[in-house]
Structure formats: C-alpha cells, structure tokens
Coordinates of all heavy atoms in Angstrom, one line a residue:
I1 N -15.6 7.2 -5.6 CA -15.5 6.7 -4.2 C -14.0 6.5 -3.8 O -13.4 5.8 -4.6 CB -16.2 5.3 -4.0 CG1 -17.7 5.6 -4.3 CG2 -16.0 4.8 -2.5 CD1 -18.5 4.2 -4.2
K2 N -13.5 7.1 -2.9 CA -12.1 6.9 -2.4 C -12.0 6.9 -0.9 O -12.8 7.6 -0.3 CB -11.2 8.0 -3.1 CG -11.6 9.4 -2.6 CD -10.5 10.3 -3.3 CE -10.7 11.7 -2.7 NZ -9.8 12.6 -3.3
P3 N -11.0 6.3 -0.4 CA -10.8 6.4 1.1 C -10.3 7.7 1.6 O -9.7 8.4 0.7 CB -9.7 5.2 1.4 CG -9.0 5.1 0.1 CD -9.9 5.5 -1.0
E4 N -10.5 7.9 2.7 CA -10.0 9.1 3.4 C -8.5 9.0 3.4 O -7.9 8.0 3.4 CB -10.5 9.4 4.7 CG -12.0 9.5 4.8 CD -12.6 9.7 6.2 OE1 -11.9 10.0 7.1 OE2 -13.8 9.6 6.3
V5 N -7.8 10.1 3.6 CA -6.3 10.2 3.8 C -6.1 9.6 5.2 O -6.7 9.9 6.2 CB -5.8 11.6 3.6 CG1 -4.3 11.6 3.9 CG2 -6.0 12.0 2.3
F6 N -5.2 8.7 5.4 CA -4.7 8.1 6.6 C -3.5 8.9 7.2 O -2.5 9.1 6.6 CB -4.4 6.6 6.6 CG -4.1 6.0 7.8 CD1 -5.1 5.9 8.8 CD2 -2.7 5.4 8.0 CE1 -4.8 5.2 10.0 CE2 -2.6 4.7 9.3 CZ -3.6 4.7 10.2
N7 N -3.7 9.3 8.5 CA -2.7 10.0 9.2 C -1.9 9.2 10.2 O -1.0 9.8 10.8 CB -3.2 11.3 9.9 CG -4.2 10.8 10.9 OD1 -4.3 9.8 11.3 ND2 -5.0 11.8 11.3
G8 N -2.1 7.9 10.3 CA -1.3 7.1 11.1 C -1.9 6.9 12.6 O -1.3 6.2 13.3
K9 N -3.1 7.4 12.8 CA -3.7 7.1 14.2 C -4.3 5.7 14.2 O -5.0 5.3 13.3 CB -4.8 8.0 14.3 CG -4.4 9.5 14.6 CD -5.6 10.4 14.8 CE -5.1 11.9 14.9 NZ -6.2 12.8 15.2
D10 N -3.7 4.9 15.2 CA -4.2 3.5 15.4 C -5.6 3.4 15.4 O -6.1 2.3 14.8 CB -3.5 2.9 16.7 CG -1.9 2.8 16.4 OD1 -1.5 2.9 15.3 OD2 -1.4 2.7 17.5
E11 N -6.3 4.2 16.1 CA -7.7 4.0 16.3 C -8.6 4.3 15.0 O -9.7 3.7 14.9 CB -8.3 5.0 17.3 CG -8.1 6.5 17.0 CD -6.8 7.0 17.6 OE1 -6.0 6.2 17.9 OE2 -6.8 8.3 17.4
E12 N -7.9 4.8 13.9 CA -8.6 5.0 12.7 C -8.2 3.9 11.6 O -8.8 3.9 10.5 CB -8.2 6.3 12.1 CG -8.8 7.5 13.0 CD -8.4 9.0 12.6 OE1 -7.8 9.1 11.4 OE2 -8.7 9.8 13.3
W13 N -7.3 3.0 12.0 CA -6.7 2.1 11.0 C -7.7 1.1 10.4 O -7.8 1.0 9.2 CB -5.5 1.2 11.7 CG -5.2 0.1 10.9 CD1 -5.3 -1.1 11.1 CD2 -4.5 0.1 9.6 NE1 -4.8 -2.0 10.1 CE2 -4.2 -1.1 9.2 CE3 -4.0 1.2 8.8 CZ2 -3.6 -1.4 8.0 CZ3 -3.5 0.9 7.5 CH2 -3.2 -0.5 7.2
Q14 N -8.6 0.5 11.1 CA -9.5 -0.5 10.7 C -10.5 0.2 9.6 O -10.6 -0.5 8.7 CB -10.2 -1.2 11.8 CG -9.3 -2.2 12.6 CD -8.6 -3.3 11.8 OE1 -9.3 -3.8 10.9 NE2 -7.4 -3.4 12.2
D15 N -11.0 1.2 9.9 CA -12.0 1.9 9.0 C -11.3 2.3 7.7 O -11.8 2.1 6.6 CB -12.6 3.1 9.7 CG -13.7 2.8 10.6 OD1 -14.2 1.6 10.6 OD2 -14.1 3.6 11.5
W16 N -10.1 2.9 7.9 CA -9.2 3.3 6.7 C -8.9 2.1 5.8 O -9.0 2.1 4.7 CB -7.9 4.2 7.1 CG -7.4 4.5 5.9 CD1 -7.6 5.8 5.2 CD2 -6.3 3.9 5.3 NE1 -6.7 5.8 4.1 CE2 -5.8 4.7 4.1 CE3 -5.6 2.6 5.4 CZ2 -4.8 4.3 3.2 CZ3 -4.6 2.2 4.5 CH2 -4.3 3.1 3.5
K17 N -8.4 1.1 6.5 CA -8.0 -0.1 5.8 C -9.2 -0.6 4.9 O -9.0 -1.0 3.8 CB -7.4 -1.2 6.7 CG -7.1 -2.4 6.1 CD -6.6 -3.5 7.1 CE -6.1 -4.8 6.4 NZ -5.8 -5.8 7.5
F18 N -10.3 -0.7 5.6 CA -11.6 -1.1 4.8 C -11.8 -0.3 3.6 O -12.0 -0.9 2.5 CB -12.7 -1.1 5.8 CG -14.1 -1.7 5.2 CD1 -14.1 -3.1 4.9 CD2 -15.0 -0.9 4.8 CE1 -15.3 -3.6 4.3 CE2 -16.2 -1.3 4.2 CZ -16.4 -2.7 4.0
G19 N -11.7 1.0 3.7 CA -12.0 1.8 2.6 C -10.9 1.7 1.6 O -11.2 1.6 0.3
F20 N -9.6 1.4 2.0 CA -8.5 1.3 1.0 C -8.7 0.0 0.3 O -8.4 -0.2 -1.0 CB -7.2 1.4 1.6 CG -6.0 1.4 0.7 CD1 -5.8 2.6 0.0 CD2 -5.4 0.4 0.5 CE1 -4.8 2.7 -0.9 CE2 -4.3 0.3 -0.5 CZ -4.0 1.5 -1.2
Q21 N -9.2 -1.1 1.0 CA -9.3 -2.4 0.4 C -10.5 -2.2 -0.8 O -10.3 -2.9 -1.8 CB -9.7 -3.4 1.4 CG -8.7 -3.9 2.2 CD -9.1 -4.8 3.4 OE1 -10.2 -4.7 3.7 NE2 -8.2 -5.7 3.8
G22 N -11.5 -1.5 -0.5 CA -12.4 -1.2 -1.6 C -11.8 -0.6 -2.7 O -12.0 -0.9 -4.0
Q23 N -10.9 0.5 -2.5 CA -10.3 1.1 -3.7 C -9.3 0.1 -4.4 O -9.4 0.1 -5.7 CB -9.5 2.2 -3.2 CG -8.7 3.0 -4.2 CD -9.6 3.9 -5.0 OE1 -10.8 4.2 -4.5 NE2 -9.2 4.5 -6.1
A24 N -8.6 -0.8 -3.7 CA -7.8 -1.7 -4.3 C -8.6 -2.8 -5.1 O -8.2 -3.2 -6.2 CB -6.9 -2.4 -3.2
A25 N -9.8 -3.1 -4.6 CA -10.7 -4.1 -5.3 C -11.0 -3.4 -6.7 O -11.0 -4.0 -7.8 CB -11.8 -4.4 -4.6
L26 N -11.4 -2.1 -6.8 CA -11.8 -1.4 -7.9 C -10.7 -1.3 -8.9 O -10.9 -1.4 -10.2 CB -12.3 0.0 -7.6 CG -13.7 0.1 -7.0 CD1 -13.9 1.6 -6.6 CD2 -14.7 -0.2 -8.1
L27 N -9.5 -1.3 -8.5 CA -8.3 -1.3 -9.3 C -7.8 -2.6 -9.7 O -6.8 -2.7 -10.5 CB -7.1 -0.6 -8.7 CG -7.5 1.0 -8.4 CD1 -6.4 1.5 -7.5 CD2 -7.6 1.8 -9.6
G28 N -8.4 -3.7 -9.2 CA -8.1 -5.0 -9.5 C -6.8 -5.5 -8.8 O -6.1 -6.5 -9.4
V29 N -6.4 -4.9 -7.7 CA -5.1 -5.3 -7.1 C -5.3 -5.8 -5.6 O -4.4 -6.1 -4.9 CB -4.0 -4.2 -7.1 CG1 -3.6 -4.1 -8.5 CG2 -4.6 -3.0 -6.5
L30 N -6.6 -6.1 -5.2 CA -6.9 -6.5 -3.9 C -6.3 -7.9 -3.6 O -5.7 -8.0 -2.5 CB -8.4 -6.4 -3.6 CG -8.8 -7.0 -2.2 CD1 -8.2 -6.0 -1.1 CD2 -10.3 -6.9 -2.0
D31 N -6.4 -8.8 -4.5 CA -6.0 -10.2 -4.2 C -4.5 -10.2 -4.1 O -3.9 -10.8 -3.2 CB -6.3 -11.1 -5.3 CG -7.8 -11.4 -5.4 OD1 -8.5 -11.2 -4.3 OD2 -8.2 -11.9 -6.5
Q32 N -3.7 -9.3 -4.9 CA -2.3 -9.2 -4.9 C -1.9 -8.5 -3.5 O -1.0 -8.9 -2.7 CB -1.9 -8.3 -6.0 CG -0.3 -8.2 -6.1 CD 0.1 -7.4 -7.3 OE1 -0.6 -7.1 -8.2 NE2 1.3 -7.0 -7.2
M33 N -2.6 -7.5 -3.1 CA -2.4 -6.9 -1.7 C -2.5 -7.9 -0.7 O -1.7 -7.8 0.3 CB -3.3 -5.7 -1.6 CG -3.1 -4.9 -0.3 SD -4.1 -3.3 -0.2 CE -5.6 -4.1 0.4
K34 N -3.6 -8.5 -0.6 CA -3.8 -9.6 0.4 C -2.8 -10.7 0.5 O -2.4 -11.1 1.6 CB -5.2 -10.3 0.3 CG -6.4 -9.2 0.7 CD -7.7 -10.0 0.8 CE -8.7 -8.9 1.4 NZ -10.0 -9.5 1.7
M35 N -2.3 -11.1 -0.7 CA -1.2 -12.2 -0.7 C 0.0 -11.5 0.0 O 0.7 -12.2 0.6 CB -1.0 -12.7 -2.2 CG -2.0 -13.4 -2.8 SD -1.8 -14.1 -4.4 CE -0.4 -13.4 -5.0
A36 N 0.4 -10.2 -0.4 CA 1.5 -9.6 0.1 C 1.5 -9.5 1.7 O 2.4 -9.6 2.3 CB 1.8 -8.3 -0.5
E37 N 0.2 -9.2 2.2 CA 0.1 -9.1 3.6 C 0.3 -10.3 4.3 O 0.8 -10.3 5.4 CB -1.4 -8.7 3.9 CG -1.8 -7.3 3.6 CD -3.3 -7.1 3.8 OE1 -4.1 -8.0 4.0 OE2 -3.7 -5.9 3.8
Q38 N 0.1 -11.6 3.7 CA 0.4 -12.9 4.3 C 1.8 -13.1 4.4 O 2.3 -14.0 5.2 CB -0.3 -13.8 3.7 CG -1.8 -13.7 3.6 CD -2.4 -13.5 4.9 OE1 -2.2 -14.3 5.8 NE2 -3.2 -12.5 5.2
E39 N 2.8 -12.5 3.6 CA 4.2 -12.7 3.6 C 4.9 -12.2 4.8 O 4.4 -11.1 5.3 CB 4.9 -12.2 2.3 CG 4.3 -12.6 1.1 CD 4.7 -14.1 0.9 OE1 5.6 -14.5 1.2 OE2 3.8 -14.8 0.2
A40 N 5.8 -12.8 5.3 CA 6.7 -12.5 6.5 C 7.4 -11.1 6.2 O 7.6 -10.3 7.0 CB 7.7 -13.5 6.9
E41 N 7.9 -11.1 4.9 CA 8.7 -9.9 4.4 C 8.0 -9.4 3.1 O 7.4 -10.2 2.4 CB 10.0 -10.3 4.2 CG 10.9 -10.6 5.5 CD 12.3 -10.9 5.3 OE1 12.9 -10.3 4.2 OE2 13.0 -11.5 6.0
A42 N 8.3 -8.2 2.9 CA 7.7 -7.7 1.6 C 8.2 -8.4 0.4 O 9.4 -8.8 0.3 CB 8.1 -6.2 1.4
P43 N 7.3 -8.7 -0.6 CA 7.8 -9.5 -1.9 C 9.0 -8.7 -2.4 O 8.9 -7.5 -2.5 CB 6.5 -9.5 -2.7 CG 5.5 -9.2 -1.7 CD 6.0 -8.4 -0.6
S44 N 9.7 -9.4 -3.2 CA 10.9 -8.8 -4.0 C 10.5 -8.7 -5.4 O 9.9 -9.5 -5.8 CB 12.1 -9.7 -3.9 OG 13.0 -9.3 -4.7
F45 N 10.9 -7.6 -6.0 CA 10.5 -7.4 -7.4 C 11.3 -8.3 -8.2 O 10.7 -8.7 -9.3 CB 10.9 -5.9 -7.9 CG 9.9 -4.9 -7.2 CD1 10.5 -3.9 -6.3 CD2 8.6 -4.8 -7.6 CE1 9.8 -3.0 -5.7 CE2 7.9 -3.8 -6.9 CZ 8.4 -3.0 -6.0
E46 N 12.4 -9.0 -7.8 CA 13.0 -9.9 -8.6 C 12.3 -11.2 -8.7 O 12.4 -12.0 -9.7 CB 14.4 -10.3 -7.9 CG 15.4 -9.1 -8.0 CD 15.3 -8.1 -7.0 OE1 14.8 -8.3 -5.9 OE2 15.6 -6.9 -7.4
T47 N 11.3 -11.5 -7.8 CA 10.5 -12.6 -7.8 C 9.2 -12.5 -8.5 O 8.4 -13.5 -8.6 CB 10.3 -13.3 -6.4 OG1 9.5 -12.3 -5.8 CG2 11.6 -13.5 -5.7
M48 N 8.9 -11.3 -9.0 CA 7.5 -11.0 -9.6 C 7.8 -11.0 -11.2 O 8.7 -10.6 -11.7 CB 7.0 -9.6 -9.2 CG 6.8 -9.5 -7.8 SD 6.2 -7.7 -7.5 CE 6.3 -7.7 -5.7
D49 N 6.6 -11.4 -11.8 CA 6.5 -11.3 -13.2 C 6.0 -9.9 -13.5 O 5.7 -9.1 -12.6 CB 5.6 -12.4 -13.8 CG 4.2 -12.3 -13.3 OD1 3.7 -11.2 -13.0 OD2 3.5 -13.3 -13.4
D50 N 5.9 -9.5 -14.8 CA 5.6 -8.3 -15.3 C 4.2 -7.9 -14.7 O 4.0 -6.6 -14.4 CB 5.7 -8.0 -16.7 CG 7.2 -8.1 -17.2 OD1 8.1 -7.9 -16.4 OD2 7.4 -8.2 -18.5
T51 N 3.2 -8.7 -14.7 CA 1.9 -8.4 -14.3 C 1.9 -8.0 -12.7 O 1.4 -7.0 -12.4 CB 0.9 -9.5 -14.5 OG1 1.0 -9.8 -16.0 CG2 -0.4 -9.2 -14.1
L52 N 2.7 -8.7 -12.0 CA 2.7 -8.5 -10.5 C 3.4 -7.2 -10.3 O 3.0 -6.4 -9.4 CB 3.4 -9.6 -9.8 CG 2.5 -10.8 -9.6 CD1 3.4 -12.0 -8.9 CD2 1.3 -10.6 -8.8
I53 N 4.5 -6.9 -11.1 CA 5.2 -5.7 -10.8 C 4.2 -4.5 -11.2 O 4.3 -3.4 -10.5 CB 6.6 -5.6 -11.8 CG1 7.5 -6.6 -11.2 CG2 7.1 -4.2 -11.9 CD1 8.8 -6.8 -12.1
D54 N 3.5 -4.6 -12.3 CA 2.6 -3.4 -12.7 C 1.5 -3.2 -11.5 O 1.3 -2.2 -11.2 CB 1.9 -3.8 -14.0 CG 2.8 -3.7 -15.1 OD1 4.0 -3.1 -15.1 OD2 2.4 -4.3 -16.2
G55 N 1.0 -4.3 -11.0 CA 0.0 -4.1 -9.8 C 0.8 -3.6 -8.7 O 0.1 -2.7 -8.0
A56 N 2.0 -4.0 -8.4 CA 2.6 -3.4 -7.2 C 2.9 -1.9 -7.4 O 2.8 -1.1 -6.5 CB 4.0 -4.2 -7.0
R57 N 3.3 -1.5 -8.6 CA 3.5 -0.2 -8.9 C 2.1 0.7 -8.7 O 2.1 1.7 -8.2 CB 3.9 0.0 -10.4 CG 5.4 -0.3 -10.6 CD 5.8 -0.1 -12.0 NE 7.1 -0.3 -12.2 CZ 7.6 -0.5 -13.5 NH1 6.8 -0.6 -14.5 NH2 9.0 -0.8 -13.5
L58 N 1.1 0.1 -9.3 CA -0.1 0.9 -9.1 C -0.6 0.9 -7.6 O -1.0 2.1 -7.3 CB -1.2 0.0 -9.9 CG -2.7 0.6 -9.8 CD1 -2.7 1.9 -10.3 CD2 -3.5 -0.4 -10.5
L59 N -0.5 -0.2 -6.9 CA -0.8 -0.1 -5.5 C 0.1 0.8 -4.7 O -0.5 1.6 -3.9 CB -0.6 -1.6 -4.9 CG -1.1 -1.7 -3.5 CD1 -2.7 -1.5 -3.4 CD2 -1.0 -3.3 -3.2
W60 N 1.3 0.9 -4.9 CA 2.2 1.7 -4.3 C 1.8 3.3 -4.5 O 1.7 4.0 -3.7 CB 3.6 1.6 -4.7 CG 4.6 2.5 -4.1 CD1 5.2 3.6 -4.9 CD2 5.0 2.7 -2.9 NE1 6.0 4.4 -4.0 CE2 5.8 3.8 -2.7 CE3 4.7 2.0 -1.6 CZ2 6.5 4.3 -1.6 CZ3 5.2 2.5 -0.4 CH2 6.2 3.6 -0.4
H61 N 1.6 3.7 -5.7 CA 1.2 5.0 -6.1 C -0.1 5.5 -5.6 O -0.1 6.5 -5.1 CB 1.4 5.1 -7.5 CG 2.7 5.1 -8.1 ND1 3.7 6.1 -7.9 CD2 3.5 4.2 -8.7 CE1 4.8 5.9 -8.4 NE2 4.8 4.7 -8.9
V62 N -1.1 4.4 -5.5 CA -2.4 4.9 -4.9 C -2.1 5.0 -3.4 O -2.7 5.9 -2.8 CB -3.4 3.8 -5.3 CG1 -4.6 4.0 -4.5 CG2 -3.6 3.8 -6.8
L63 N -1.3 4.0 -2.8 CA -1.2 4.0 -1.3 C -0.7 5.4 -0.8 O -1.1 6.0 0.0 CB -0.3 3.0 -0.8 CG 0.0 2.9 0.6 CD1 -1.1 2.7 1.4 CD2 1.1 1.8 0.9
I64 N 0.5 5.9 -1.5 CA 1.0 7.1 -1.1 C 0.2 8.3 -1.2 O 0.4 9.3 -0.4 CB 2.5 7.3 -1.6 CG1 2.5 7.4 -3.1 CG2 3.3 6.1 -1.2 CD1 3.7 7.7 -3.8
Q65 N -0.7 8.3 -2.0 CA -1.7 9.5 -2.3 C -2.7 9.5 -1.0 O -3.2 10.5 -0.8 CB -2.5 9.2 -3.5 CG -1.7 9.3 -4.7 CD -0.7 10.5 -4.8 OE1 -1.1 11.6 -4.6 NE2 0.6 10.3 -5.0
Y66 N -2.8 8.4 -0.3 CA -3.8 8.4 0.9 C -3.2 8.2 2.1 O -3.8 7.9 3.2 CB -4.9 7.2 0.6 CG -5.7 7.3 -0.6 CD1 -5.6 6.5 -1.7 CD2 -6.5 8.3 -0.7 CE1 -6.3 6.6 -2.7 CE2 -7.4 8.5 -1.8 CZ -7.2 7.6 -2.8 OH -8.0 7.8 -4.0
C67 N -1.9 8.7 2.2 CA -1.3 8.7 3.5 C -0.6 10.0 3.8 O -0.2 10.8 2.8 CB 0.0 7.7 3.5 SG -0.5 6.1 3.3
K68 N -0.7 10.5 5.1 CA 0.1 11.8 5.4 C 0.6 11.6 6.9 O 0.3 10.6 7.5 CB -0.8 12.9 5.4 CG -2.1 12.9 6.5 CD -2.8 14.2 6.3 CE -3.9 14.2 7.4 NZ -4.6 15.4 7.4
G69 N 1.4 12.5 7.2 CA 2.0 12.4 8.5 C 2.8 11.2 8.9 O 3.6 10.8 8.0
K70 N 2.4 10.6 10.0 CA 3.2 9.4 10.4 C 3.1 8.2 9.4 O 4.2 7.5 9.1 CB 2.6 8.8 11.7 CG 3.1 7.7 12.4 CD 2.4 7.2 13.6 CE 2.7 5.8 14.0 NZ 1.9 5.3 15.1
S71 N 1.9 8.0 8.8 CA 1.9 6.9 7.8 C 2.7 7.1 6.6 O 3.3 6.3 6.0 CB 0.4 6.6 7.5 OG -0.1 7.7 6.9
R72 N 2.8 8.5 6.1 CA 3.5 8.7 4.9 C 5.0 8.6 5.2 O 5.8 8.1 4.3 CB 3.3 10.2 4.5 CG 4.1 10.5 3.2 CD 3.6 11.6 2.4 NE 2.5 11.3 1.7 CZ 2.0 12.1 0.7 NH1 2.7 13.2 0.5 NH2 0.9 11.7 0.0
Q73 N 5.4 8.9 6.5 CA 6.8 8.8 6.8 C 7.2 7.3 6.8 O 8.2 6.9 6.4 CB 7.1 9.4 8.2 CG 7.0 10.9 8.2 CD 8.0 11.5 7.1 OE1 9.1 11.1 7.0 NE2 7.4 12.4 6.3
I74 N 6.4 6.4 7.2 CA 6.6 4.9 7.2 C 6.7 4.4 5.8 O 7.6 3.7 5.4 CB 5.6 4.1 8.1 CG1 5.6 4.5 9.5 CG2 5.6 2.7 7.7 CD1 4.5 4.0 10.3
A75 N 5.8 4.9 4.9 CA 5.8 4.5 3.6 C 7.1 5.0 2.8 O 7.7 4.3 2.1 CB 4.6 5.1 2.8
K76 N 7.5 6.3 3.2 CA 8.6 6.9 2.6 C 9.9 6.0 3.0 O 10.8 5.7 2.3 CB 8.9 8.3 3.1 CG 10.0 8.9 2.5 CD 9.9 10.4 2.9 CE 11.3 11.2 2.3 NZ 11.3 12.5 2.8
R77 N 10.0 5.8 4.3 CA 11.1 4.9 4.9 C 11.2 3.5 4.1 O 12.3 3.1 3.8 CB 11.0 4.8 6.3 CG 12.1 4.1 7.0 CD 12.2 4.2 8.5 NE 11.0 3.5 9.1 CZ 10.1 4.4 9.7 NH1 10.2 5.7 10.0 NH2 9.1 3.7 10.3
Q78 N 10.0 2.8 3.9 CA 10.0 1.7 3.3 C 10.5 1.8 1.8 O 11.2 0.9 1.2 CB 8.6 0.9 3.3 CG 8.2 0.5 4.6 CD 9.1 -0.6 5.2 OE1 9.3 -1.6 4.4 NE2 9.5 -0.5 6.4
S79 N 10.1 2.9 1.2 CA 10.4 3.1 -0.2 C 11.9 3.2 -0.4 O 12.6 2.7 -1.3 CB 9.8 4.4 -0.7 OG 10.2 4.7 -2.0
E80 N 12.5 3.9 0.7 CA 14.1 4.1 0.7 C 14.8 2.8 0.9 O 15.9 2.5 0.4 CB 14.4 5.3 1.7 CG 13.9 6.7 1.3 CD 13.9 7.7 2.3 OE1 14.3 7.3 3.5 OE2 13.6 8.8 2.0
E81 N 14.2 2.0 1.7 CA 14.9 0.7 2.0 C 14.8 -0.4 0.9 O 15.6 -1.1 0.7 CB 14.2 0.1 3.3 CG 14.5 0.9 4.5 CD 13.8 0.2 5.8 OE1 13.1 -0.8 5.6 OE2 13.8 0.9 6.8
K82 N 13.7 -0.2 0.0 CA 13.5 -1.1 -1.1 C 13.4 -0.2 -2.3 O 12.5 0.6 -2.5 CB 12.2 -1.9 -0.9 CG 12.3 -3.1 0.1 CD 11.2 -3.9 -0.1 CE 11.3 -5.1 0.9 NZ 12.3 -6.1 0.5
E83 N 14.3 -0.5 -3.2 CA 14.2 0.3 -4.5 C 13.0 -0.1 -5.2 O 12.7 -1.3 -5.5 CB 15.5 0.0 -5.4 CG 15.6 0.9 -6.5 CD 17.0 0.7 -7.2 OE1 17.9 0.5 -6.6 OE2 16.9 0.8 -8.4
R84 N 12.2 0.8 -5.7 CA 11.0 0.7 -6.6 C 11.4 0.4 -8.0 O 12.3 1.0 -8.5 CB 9.9 1.9 -6.5 CG 9.6 2.2 -5.0 CD 8.5 1.2 -4.6 NE 8.3 1.3 -3.2 CZ 8.1 0.2 -2.4 NH1 8.1 -1.0 -2.8 NH2 8.0 0.5 -1.2
P85 N 10.7 -0.4 -8.6 CA 10.9 -0.7 -10.1 C 10.6 0.6 -11.0 O 9.8 1.3 -10.6 CB 10.1 -1.8 -10.5 CG 8.8 -1.8 -9.6 CD 9.4 -1.2 -8.3

C-alpha cells in the first residue's frame, strides 16, 4: 500500500496527506512527522539525536518519491535551503 504521487494541486492535498500519513505510520515515523508539523520552523538537525536524524532521513527520502511537479519543486527548494545530513 502506498500513496499516490502528489503533483501540488491544492484540491488533492487532503486525500494525499491522509495516504502519506498511513505510509509514515507503517515506517514508524508518523509521530515524528506530526511533531515537526507543529513547529513554527523546520527542526534543525543540530537539535536532533541520532534516532530522530535517522527518522528524518527516512521520511525525507520517502516524501520525495511521492512528489512531482510543483510539490517536488517546493521539496527541492527546501532541500537546498537546509543541508540534509
């Protein structure tokens, strides 16, 4: 079971997000993802322990596999602004 690829259309966001949350739960990173969503800014790798960094890496690599078009460009821009571990 995997979510569909998200292309950035606002009207498809809620359904896609629900599917992606299911994938994150299977991978054991849903709680970490939800905690990061509550932060005003993206968490810094300097403040994470090794377990959180591993979860962030996994979540990032899964996320970019399910984005294309506008959403992939946003993810790419974020990646360039914050150096990945």
Side-chain angles (χ1 to χ4, degrees):
I1 300 173
K2 64 181 188 173
E4 296 178 19
V5 173
F6 183 62
N7 61 15
K9 292 182 181 176
D10 292 341
E11 62 271 13
E12 296 176 6
W13 169 249
Q14 290 300 322
D15 284 341
W16 182 85
K17 180 181 176 183
F18 182 72
F20 190 78
Q21 286 175 330
Q23 185 74 17
L26 283 172
L27 296 171
V29 293
L30 180 61
D31 290 340
Q32 184 176 346
M33 184 175 81
K34 287 188 172 193
M35 286 180 1
E37 286 177 346
Q38 302 303 313
E39 298 293 326
E41 294 188 21
S44 169
F45 291 111
E46 289 80 30
T47 63
M48 295 181 186
D49 63 23
D50 289 343
T51 301
L52 288 177
I53 289 173
D54 289 345
R57 286 179 177 159
L58 175 62
L59 187 58
W60 172 251
H61 288 285
V62 171
L63 175 66
I64 63 173
Q65 299 305 309
Y66 294 114
C67 293
K68 70 175 183 178
K70 176 183 169 185
S71 61
R72 182 168 280 195
Q73 292 305 311
I74 291 169
K76 183 178 178 183
R77 187 170 54 245
Q78 291 297 314
S79 176
E80 291 167 352
E81 290 174 8
K82 288 196 175 279
E83 189 173 321
R84 300 283 166 220

